[in-house]
Amino acid sequence: MPWDWPGLWGSSRVRGPLWIWIWLSSTLPFLCIPINEVNLLDSRTVMGDLGWIAYPKNGWEEIGEVDENYAPIHTYQVCKVMEQNQNNWLLTSWISNEGASRIFIELKFTLRDCNSLPGGLGTCKETFNMYYFESDDEDGRNIRENQYIKIDTIAADESFTELDLGDRVMKLNTEVRDVGPLMRKGFYLAFQDVGACIALVSVRVYYKKCPSVVRNLVIFPDTITGADSSQLLEVSGSCVNYSITEEPPKMHCSAEGEWLVPIGKCMCKEGYEEKNNTCQGCRPGFFKASPQSQTCSKCPPHSYSHEKASASCVCEENYYRRESDPPTMACTRPPSAPRNAISNINETSVFLEWTPPADTGGRKDVSYNIVCKKCNSHSSLCEECGSHVRYLPQQNSLKNTSVMVVDLLAHTNYTFEVEAENGVSDLSPSARQYVSVNVTTNQAAPSPISIVKKGKIAKNSISLSWQEPDRPNGIILEYEIKYFEKDQETSYTIIKSRETEITADGLKPSSPYIFQIRARTAAGYGSFSRRFEFETSPVSVAASSDQSQIPIIAVSVTVGVILLAVVVGFFLSGRRCGYSKAKQDPEEEKMHFHNGHIKLPGVKTYIDPHTYEDPNQAVHEFAKEIDASCITIERVIGAGEFGEVCSGRLKLPGKREFAVAIKTLKVGYTEKQRRDFLGEASIMGQFDHPNIIHLEGVVTKSKPVMIVTEYMENGSLDTFLKKNDGQFTVIQLVGMLRGIASGMKYLSDMGYVHRDLAARNILINSNLVCKVSDFGLSRILEDDPEAAYTTRGGKIPIRWTAPEAIAFRKFTSASDVWSYGIVMWEVMSYGERPYWEMTNQDVIKAVEEGYRLPSPMDCPAALYQLMLDCWRKDRNSRPKFEEIVSMLDKLIRNPSSLKTLVNASNRVSNLLVEHNCLGTGAYRSVSEWLEAIKMGRYLEAFVQNGYSSMDTVTQVTLEDLRRLGVTLAGHQKKIMNSIQEIRVQLVNGMVPL
Ligand code: ACK
């Protein structure tokens, strides 16, 4: 049906509102406005009269229709297209800007296309104008047109024709304009029609805001956008409850009402964590120590929190936290005591070593302090050692598990307490945890003399005086003064004196002389002092004391030659004193040497008891007689060749009672047996060294005849190692070896050849100190079950004995060194039998052919090399015990040098004999294998877990071992190494499984 146009809206009001209603119904979503827009006016939502004014009155007219809810639809229309000079105004009521300085006007309207009109093209317009006028109140409404400020001319994007109306296609236009900055509290809008056909369907006036938001735990308030369309407003936010910030966070509100560029954030404070943009307290059992942490964490071990919102957890009883410990760290406690402390004594130095505590208290900062106490052996009273004792590297806060204590007094009892502490030890009231080691220092030679002063100088004599050495280490028996004319060192004179001054006479005038002095105590000579140079006076200087005019050299050489002859004579006649005396003054002896190397007295030598016609005399010379009533025998600990070996206690008058071992001579002995039995005491009694078993004395005046020695709690070394297989650190093993070597050095220095050095003849005490024992005279023949008869009739412990000693009885300290190499091998393999089950004949043959024992498992390369050096065929190329001691000391001081092990493949290639003899491969069964490596106790676990054949065994991993219940690290190592060897052998095609 055609529209009545242009008079339509004027005459027929029915149709116009109808299409508007249809349109409104289909555009309901328009009523949903974005959240960042705040309406100041929306003509669609005003229920009553809009209160707009139109003039002239016949211009804009309101179509008063209602929607289906009977709400008014405020639509204004005008359509005076056929009439000239139209100027129709429609004024809104006053609109408050609510503080916004920029507002938006959204117009929805329809506009008739002038071309579609039948006439009046000359007057028809297709635009209208929009104006505003600012005013603080409603009073400004009646102003003149020309006071309104034009906002824009509004044209339709799309106009419609009559045809469109027929199709009911509504061409609704939406135009938005903005105005700002506004200066007053409100404004009016005005729409001016100048001859168009318009229906103004809705007018919405709004401003934009950035709506309140919580971002990064910061609350930003509703913020009206700025006046300028490109302006960004900086807005400060505030932190949500229980959150904090260092700098106030900010965000920017854009003209479009969008939040942009957040700067900074808030963080939930201690004890709170973020949840849904809020901060919530941590649950009990959880904590958050710092705002920087994101979430609450569970309380670390040994701590708890009973409250909500805890910033930290409280330590359980007996657990502590250092101030510097992070709150995330477990609470810890002081360590337990260090373990397995051992000592190695070298004269007046003690090397202490220990293993870390079993319980470190949960901390890594365990350190050790050393407390040194000097103890009286009789009263057992101890006092602090004082400041003269030095500790290397230091006494306290030791990080490593060893320390060297030097400058101790000679031949003195000390107790060292090695105390473990960690970062929380000082917070704990519990007693300090320590392990103590008792040691007795050796006899030590005096320290060198450092102060020598010249006295009277004459043309033929020089007087000297000096001060006692700083550390005499005993009573000084005498001083030895060596002097010679400068650059004539090969011809020198030695004076011995008990005084601290001498006069050297018979010197050449105007000649420089070099003097060196050393002191002697019971422990021998100390080192010579540095060289002191003094010059005699010229001839012209008169010297009353100098009368000798005989050429000095002649005298000196003559005296020297005579003395030398006397000295040699004394040696040959078997006297122990190795030099003659040329008496000058009762306190002085003087000797001359020329190119001579005479062994000087003071160095003790071993005296073979055989050289005594009456062996009883030897025994009483070297061993104290003990009254049998002082001895309490407690139990039998073994059997010796001559009778039982017992442990017991010795209580000498005025001394503390202490544990001893007692060797007894069985009843019905022959005289020879008695002699041989006591012979051991005669030898042992000559030795005084911490690594030689100490003789307390003998009982010969009553029966049974007994030899009483110090008690060694852990018995013989071979049995002890077998019992504690895999239980020691390499350093501990090297410590044992060092002790044995030190004892052997002492013996070899004394000129004593042991001949039966083997782990079974070493005893070990509770401090893991090893001591050489078994000095029986007949032991090589009778005592040692390992000794076998050689083709030449002698009985020799073949596996321990050097080839030259087996072949032609050449027993020397060098052959003891060979045996020492075997002892090293026994120690490093925890008491394995050298050459396993090979026969003695095969051993002799293999060794002769150049084969040597392979390295024990896990043996440091440096130690195996030392063993090989001890087993050099040429005995002169073997190291001396002194060298062995210093090499082991070096290794102990530098434990990292022990880290390089002889690797498995080298061991295999080094093997002495066929593999199956060596217990490392070609096993027929798991049982045979485990037995061979002395791990038979795990057989059941292996078999029960399906490792019943050797090929399954090669698959076993360390993890598997743990599952099988092999928990001891030493055993795991042993089994895994053996498996590794079997694998290597398989790869090399050496052992068919
Ligand atoms: O391995 P053991 O327990 O240590 O068995 C032998 C046994 O006596 C026969 O020699 C033990 N034994 C020998 N001397 C001593 C000693 N001084 N202290 C402790 N045990 C000793 C040795």
Side-chain angles (χ1 to χ4, degrees):
M1 188 163 130
W3 285 76
D4 177 17
W5 189 265
L8 175 72
W9 290 339
S11 57
S12 172
R13 300 239 170 135
V14 181
R15 289 194 182 166
L18 178 67
W19 65 258
I20 288 167
W21 183 83
I22 293 166
W23 169 79
L24 276 174
S25 309
S26 61
T27 53
L28 267 180
F30 266 85
L31 291 175
C32 304
I33 58 163
I35 55 159
N36 61 346
E37 293 176 3
V38 181
N39 284 350
L40 297 172
L41 165 72
D42 188 345
S43 63
R44 287 170 300 174
T45 60
V46 176
M47 295 306 287
D49 181 17
L50 270 178
W52 292 7
I53 299 169
Y55 70 88
K57 291 264 189 267
N58 62 351
W60 292 91
E61 58 178 333
E62 185 174 7
I63 302 168
E65 275 303 324
V66 289
D67 64 11
E68 80 272 28
N69 296 321
Y70 299 100
I73 300 169
H74 302 288
T75 298
Y76 287 87
Q77 65 177 21
V78 62
C79 194
K80 305 249 182 234
V81 288
M82 310 296 270
E83 293 158 49
Q84 299 273 339
N85 300 326
Q86 291 301 306
N87 186 17
N88 304 309
W89 284 73
L90 175 63
L91 303 182
T92 69
S93 48
W94 186 77
I95 304 165
S96 162
N97 60 31
E98 293 182 6
S101 53
R102 170 162 227 87
I103 51 111
F104 297 82
I105 305 120
E106 180 197 79
L107 304 177
K108 289 188 187 291
F109 62 94
T110 59
L111 200 113
R112 179 78 189 250
D113 181 357
C114 287
N115 287 329
S116 68
L117 290 170
L121 268 177
T123 55
C124 177
K125 300 284 183 314
E126 291 184 350
T127 61
F128 63 98
N129 299 318
M130 179 160 65
Y131 295 86
Y132 79 107
F133 173 75
E134 277 197 85
S135 139
D136 282 328
D137 49 42
E138 312 214 6
D139 295 347
R141 191 168 194 175
N142 302 320
I143 47 116
R144 290 191 307 278
E145 285 168 27
N146 62 3
Q147 284 179 292
Y148 274 89
I149 301 163
K150 183 168 176 178
I151 297 172
D152 205 357
T153 299
I154 312 290
D157 289 335
E158 290 193 84
S159 48
F160 67 90
T161 65
E162 202 166 0
L163 275 173
D164 297 331
L165 286 172
D167 294 342
R168 301 260 159 100
V169 177
M170 297 299 115
K171 302 263 171 90
L172 188 70
N173 296 284
T174 303
E175 293 291 329
V176 178
R177 298 292 182 273
D178 61 327
V179 179
L182 299 179
M183 315 304 251
R184 302 275 171 93
K185 289 182 184 159
F187 55 91
Y188 296 96
L189 290 177
F191 305 99
Q192 182 196 25
D193 165 55
V194 287
C197 189
I198 318 158
L200 191 53
V201 175
S202 82
V203 176
R204 187 164 74 88
V205 182
Y206 59 93
Y207 64 87
K208 290 191 180 178
K209 68 167 182 180
C210 293
S212 168
V213 71
V214 179
R215 186 145 335 150
N216 296 335
L217 297 177
V218 187
I219 307 167
F220 293 96
D222 266 352
T223 305
I224 299 172
T225 58
D228 194 331
S229 60
S230 60
Q231 190 179 2
L232 283 185
L233 287 183
E234 189 183 90
V235 181
S236 294
S238 54
C239 291
V240 301
N241 280 350
Y242 307 113
S243 74
I244 52 165
T245 183
E246 279 161 17
E247 264 181 56
K250 289 178 197 143
M251 207 148 50
H252 296 85
C253 178
S254 77
E256 285 310 307
E258 284 167 336
W259 288 109
L260 301 173
V261 202
I263 297 170
K265 59 175 183 176
C266 295
M267 292 165 292
C268 288
K269 58 186 219 176
E270 309 81 11
Y272 289 84
E273 66 185 346
E274 182 177 346
K275 264 186 200 149
N276 306 329
N277 261 328
T278 60
C279 291
Q280 305 283 329
C282 300
R283 284 177 288 146
F286 286 74
F287 77 106
K288 203 187 96 171
S290 120
Q292 271 74 25
S293 317
Q294 290 289 311
T295 52
C296 299
S297 313
K298 217 169 171 344
C299 283
H302 304 298
S303 69
Y304 61 87
S305 70
H306 291 325
E307 307 291 325
K308 248 189 104 179
S310 295
S312 63
C313 299
V314 181
C315 288
E316 287 169 9
E317 202 178 344
N318 298 327
Y319 282 87
Y320 308 91
R321 183 176 283 133
R322 263 180 90 83
E323 237 170 62
S324 55
D325 287 350
T328 46
M329 188 174 141
C331 290
T332 53
R333 59 181 174 183
S336 56
R339 295 168 299 155
N340 304 327
I342 55 165
S343 59
N344 263 311
I345 303 158
N346 189 0
E347 298 202 332
T348 55
S349 306
V350 174
F351 181 76
L352 296 173
E353 204 202 354
W354 55 92
T355 42
D359 175 13
T360 60
R363 303 186 66 89
K364 292 206 173 79
D365 57 357
V366 176
S367 64
Y368 307 95
N369 302 325
I370 309 296
V371 175
C372 170
K373 292 178 181 168
K374 187 162 78 90
C375 300
N376 183 318
S377 56
H378 304 300
S379 63
S380 71
L381 283 177
C382 297
E383 55 179 305
E384 292 282 326
C385 289
S387 56
H388 65 278
V389 175
R390 286 187 301 131
Y391 303 82
L392 305 172
Q394 73 240 15
Q395 182 177 11
N396 294 317
S397 307
L398 287 158
K399 292 281 169 235
N400 291 334
T401 53
S402 62
V403 69
M404 187 82 160
V405 188
V406 300
D407 294 349
L408 294 164
L409 300 178
H411 216 70
T412 306
N413 292 335
Y414 285 94
T415 295
F416 292 99
E417 290 168 1
V418 183
E419 174 192 321
E421 64 172 21
N422 65 15
V424 293
S425 291
D426 49 357
L427 303 176
S428 160
S430 51
R432 51 193 202 101
Q433 297 291 313
Y434 62 86
V435 58
S436 53
V437 190
N438 299 325
V439 300
T440 306
T441 48
N442 297 344
Q443 295 271 17
S447 64
I449 286 150
S450 49
I451 300 176
V452 175
K453 286 189 196 139
K454 70 176 177 200
K456 191 172 164 212
I457 304 254
K459 71 176 190 298
N460 297 117
S461 66
I462 295 173
S463 296
L464 299 177
S465 65
W466 56 89
Q467 280 182 12
E468 251 203 7
D470 298 337
R471 277 174 289 113
N473 292 331
I475 296 164
I476 294 185
L477 303 176
E478 65 183 5
Y479 293 97
E480 187 178 89
I481 304 95
K482 175 182 177 186
Y483 64 90
F484 51 87
E485 193 182 342
K486 193 173 178 187
D487 303 328
Q488 305 287 323
E489 195 165 353
T490 50
S491 180
Y492 60 89
T493 303
I494 279 186
I495 298 179
K496 289 172 184 285
S497 169
R498 297 212 182 119
E499 304 300 324
T500 52
E501 56 186 23
I502 52 128
T503 298
D505 46 21
L507 311 180
K508 281 200 268 174
S510 294
S511 305
Y513 280 84
I514 304 294
F515 291 84
Q516 282 184 285
I517 307 173
R518 62 180 179 174
R520 181 168 78 85
T521 62
Y525 279 102
S527 307
F528 269 119
S529 66
R530 68 173 179 83
R531 293 172 172 221
F532 290 87
E533 184 178 330
F534 304 114
E535 198 172 330
T536 45
S537 333
V539 185
S540 56
V541 179
S544 58
S545 64
D546 215 1
Q547 285 134 17
S548 171
Q549 297 301 318
I550 309 159
I552 303 302
I553 292 193
V555 171
S556 173
V557 169
T558 317
V559 174
V561 168
I562 293 167
L563 280 171
L564 203 59
V566 174
V567 166
V568 170
F570 264 87
F571 268 111
L572 291 178
S573 69
R575 293 276 301 269
R576 281 204 288 150
C577 182
Y579 60 94
S580 71
K581 294 179 177 181
K583 288 254 155 82
Q584 298 182 314
D585 134 353
E587 296 296 307
E588 258 178 40
E589 303 164 2
K590 188 172 184 180
M591 298 165 59
H592 301 272
F593 295 83
H594 186 76
N595 284 338
H597 299 283
I598 294 173
K599 197 175 174 194
L600 291 169
V603 178
K604 255 171 98 183
T605 28
Y606 156 74
I607 299 162
D608 185 346
H610 278 125
T611 57
Y612 283 75
E613 264 173 40
D614 174 8
N616 275 324
Q617 190 200 334
V619 153
H620 287 115
E621 182 146 335
F622 300 120
K624 263 191 308 192
E625 179 71 28
I626 297 177
D627 194 299
S629 64
C630 301
I631 300 166
T632 319
I633 293 182
E634 285 174 341
R635 60 191 176 87
V636 177
I637 53 174
E641 191 223 337
F642 297 98
E644 283 161 340
V645 182
C646 305
S647 64
R649 307 196 62 81
L650 176 65
K651 171 79 184 80
L652 292 172
K655 289 207 173 165
R656 254 190 317 153
E657 188 182 70
F658 57 95
V660 286
I662 305 138
K663 281 189 176 180
T664 58
L665 177 62
K666 61 190 166 219
V667 285
Y669 52 82
T670 63
E671 189 47 37
K672 179 173 180 305
Q673 281 173 324
R674 182 179 191 274
R675 215 176 33 236
D676 287 348
F677 176 72
L678 289 174
E680 180 171 16
S682 310
I683 298 169
M684 220 190 295
Q686 298 184 47
F687 305 141
D688 177 18
H689 189 273
N691 298 105
I692 305 290
I693 192 82
H694 178 70
L695 177 73
E696 295 298 339
V698 289
V699 178
T700 60
K701 303 217 162 106
S702 61
K703 284 187 184 166
V705 174
M706 295 185 254
I707 298 176
V708 182
T709 64
E710 66 180 304
Y711 182 65
M712 301 291 283
E713 295 84 346
N714 284 320
S716 56
L717 182 60
D718 64 334
T719 322
F720 175 69
L721 288 174
K722 281 178 204 153
K723 255 194 264 164
N724 294 286
D725 194 354
Q727 302 297 300
F728 299 111
T729 62
V730 170
I731 282 282
Q732 284 177 311
L733 296 176
V734 177
M736 296 175 197
L737 291 174
R738 196 264 176 210
I740 302 167
S742 171
M744 287 309 296
K745 171 189 178 297
Y746 176 84
L747 293 183
S748 69
D749 286 350
M750 295 260 308
Y752 178 81
V753 179
H754 190 288
R755 296 180 176 219
D756 196 9
L757 178 58
R760 64 184 169 279
N761 290 330
I762 304 293
L763 291 166
I764 178 160
N765 71 12
S766 55
N767 286 330
L768 302 188
V769 176
C770 287
K771 308 204 180 193
V772 181
S773 83
D774 207 347
F775 302 100
L777 279 180
S778 60
R779 69 193 188 285
I780 306 297
L781 296 172
E782 315 293 345
D783 193 18
D784 190 343
E786 280 293 350
Y789 287 100
T790 63
T791 44
R792 303 181 73 193
K795 217 179 165 198
I796 286 173
I798 300 293
R799 283 153 215 274
W800 282 264
T801 306
E804 75 276 6
I806 297 173
F808 44 93
R809 302 186 134 266
K810 184 74 192 162
F811 285 97
T812 56
S813 287
S815 63
D816 277 351
V817 166
W818 177 290
S819 312
Y820 178 79
I822 304 287
V823 172
M824 284 184 77
W825 190 90
E826 290 182 277
V827 169
M828 297 314 291
S829 54
Y830 283 93
E832 188 80 76
R833 178 168 165 73
Y835 311 96
W836 302 273
E837 300 315 319
M838 283 171 71
T839 63
N840 279 345
Q841 277 319 307
D842 284 344
V843 171
I844 294 173
K845 196 158 162 275
V847 170
E848 266 309 313
E849 284 172 6
Y851 289 101
R852 296 291 181 265
L853 281 165
S855 162
M857 267 189 257
D858 289 332
C859 181
L863 291 181
Y864 184 54
Q865 185 53 51
L866 185 54
M867 292 179 209
L868 293 175
D869 291 344
C870 293
W871 301 329
R872 293 231 176 100
K873 188 173 172 58
D874 171 18
R875 65 175 184 278
N876 296 317
S877 328
R878 294 173 204 155
K880 306 283 175 285
F881 280 115
E882 184 171 10
E883 290 159 352
I884 296 175
V885 172
S886 65
M887 182 171 295
L888 294 177
D889 278 344
K890 243 188 244 159
L891 295 176
I892 290 169
R893 276 196 299 274
N894 181 16
S896 60
S897 57
L898 293 164
K899 291 227 166 86
T900 317
L901 305 182
V902 178
N903 64 36
S905 49
N906 283 355
R907 289 192 58 227
V908 171
S909 64
N910 257 334
L911 289 180
L912 163 77
V913 279
E914 281 297 323
H915 246 284
N916 36 9
C917 303
L918 295 176
T920 50
Y923 305 103
R924 276 162 304 194
S925 65
V926 179
S927 129
E928 188 182 311
W929 166 61
L930 284 174
E931 283 306 327
I933 60 170
K934 293 194 284 170
M935 294 286 117
R937 71 192 78 175
Y938 299 115
L939 178 62
E940 206 179 315
F942 268 78
V943 175
Q944 273 177 4
N945 284 278
Y947 300 110
S948 47
S949 65
M950 285 309 288
D951 50 345
T952 54
V953 159
T954 58
Q955 315 297 323
V956 171
T957 63
L958 188 59
E959 206 38 53
D960 297 333
L961 276 192
R962 290 193 189 115
R963 240 184 335 100
L964 295 185
V966 185
T967 48
L968 291 174
H971 291 182
Q972 289 173 352
K973 221 165 163 189
K974 193 158 193 175
I975 296 173
M976 283 317 294
N977 282 341
S978 178
I979 291 173
Q980 178 56 22
E981 280 189 4
I982 295 169
R983 289 184 193 138
V984 171
Q985 290 157 19
L986 276 172
V987 171
N988 293 346
M990 293 173 77
V991 181
L993 278 176

